[in-house]
Amino acid sequence: MKILVVDDERAIRNSLKEILGDEGYEVDTAEDGTIAEQMIDKEHYDVVFCDIKMPGKDGEEVLDYVVTQGIDTAMVMISGHGDIDTAVECIKKGAFDFIQKPLDLNRLLITVKNAGERTTLVKDNKVLKKKVYGQEMIGSSKALQHIRGMIEKVAPTDARVLITGSNGTGKELVARSLHALSQRSAMPYIEVNCAAIPSELIESELFGHEKGSFTSAIKQHKGKFEQADGGTLFLDEIGDMSLAAQAKVLRVLQEKKLSRVGSDKDIQVDVRVIAATNKDLKAEIEKGNFREDLYHRLSVILIHVPTLGERKEDIPELVEYFVKQICAESGKSPVPFSKDALKALQDRDWPGNIRELRNVVERLLILGGNPVSAKDVEEFF
């Protein structure tokens, strides 16, 4: 485990380096915040011990830098007697712990052990997220690689994302991946299909309602925005949302607060909104069906998911994935597809996109031979 000690007092730097070095840790030192940031940029440190009060760039500024850059290191703040309130504020900002001067050896070693375990858990969690993310997005086409690159850049931020694409292309998988790779991944992920909710109920569904606010409101109900507080809200098919609901969504995005149906009380919410649509929202704006101001609020980042017809080179990988999935569900051994069968599938049009492909694969596994042939594709497509 690699540790960085940041303190303007040479005696403390040397003492900590000697103590931690004797315990088998690799230790570097820095005499001020500016040098510390430069070192953190070049090397990965599992734990950083950082004095709060230093001339020039202080420990709070170093902590802010580590947090805003998304650097995975456990920040342990070193505080004097007068710095306790500041140390507590540092914890709120994202520091792992603080140690008060004069430093206690046992406290120091326990903190190092706990911080190291925390760093390991964070690393394992990231690996797990990437595995899940990699399993959901099947294919290696240039189009899909571009989407993966966008997701990896955008996910760690809180930027709102608008995902566009035809039905069945996998827009919801992009939304889930954005949440899974975000800083909010441990918090709720709530999905709402705006097209599936009647227009008269959408406001209650999104913002909640108070008991008695309308005929069937027999008890208080928390809406999807409240349920997603601290996490991510995925508004699927947002192009089907009524103009009245759009106005309320816009208010939440602008003011980060909402009021339930039947209530004047404001409720603060911290929600990252990801939206998706199969419609041309700019054309809907021209028709007066969608608010232009809401469109600009939602589309900070635009991600377009291509049709299956635009990424036919991914069909063999998708078929293999679906075969394993379907056969596992039915308790059967995977059935191979011949090269000619895969070529026949690639030569087809796919108006239903990936959903249609999965249905066809399931049909061929039931009705086709072993292996599935091009003739089977021709007969049972």
Side-chain angles (χ1 to χ4, degrees), residues 49-101:
F49 285 94
C50 189
D51 192 17
I52 292 177
K53 297 293 184 185
M54 293 184 291
K57 188 164 286 190
D58 64 20
E60 278 193 89
E61 291 175 283
V62 176
L63 173 63
D64 288 339
Y65 178 77
V66 167
V67 171
T68 55
Q69 294 296 312
I71 298 168
D72 288 332
T73 188
M75 292 290 296
V76 179
M77 312 309 292
I78 301 173
S79 65
H81 288 291
D83 303 331
I84 299 300
D85 289 342
T86 307
V88 172
E89 284 302 311
C90 287
I91 295 290
K92 291 179 181 178
K93 287 182 179 180
F96 175 75
D97 200 353
F98 71 89
I99 297 181
Q100 192 173 338
K101 294 180 181 177

Side-chain angles (χ1 to χ4, degrees), residues 285-316:
I285 291 168
E286 291 293 322
K287 295 175 188 175
N289 296 331
F290 202 83
R291 296 181 61 113
E292 186 173 10
D293 46 5
L294 178 58
Y295 172 80
H296 291 303
R297 284 279 178 179
L298 293 171
S299 60
V300 175
I301 303 292
L302 276 167
I303 297 179
H304 178 71
V305 184
T307 64
L308 186 56
E310 293 171 316
R311 45 178 286 220
K312 285 187 175 181
E313 60 265 51
D314 288 332
I315 286 177

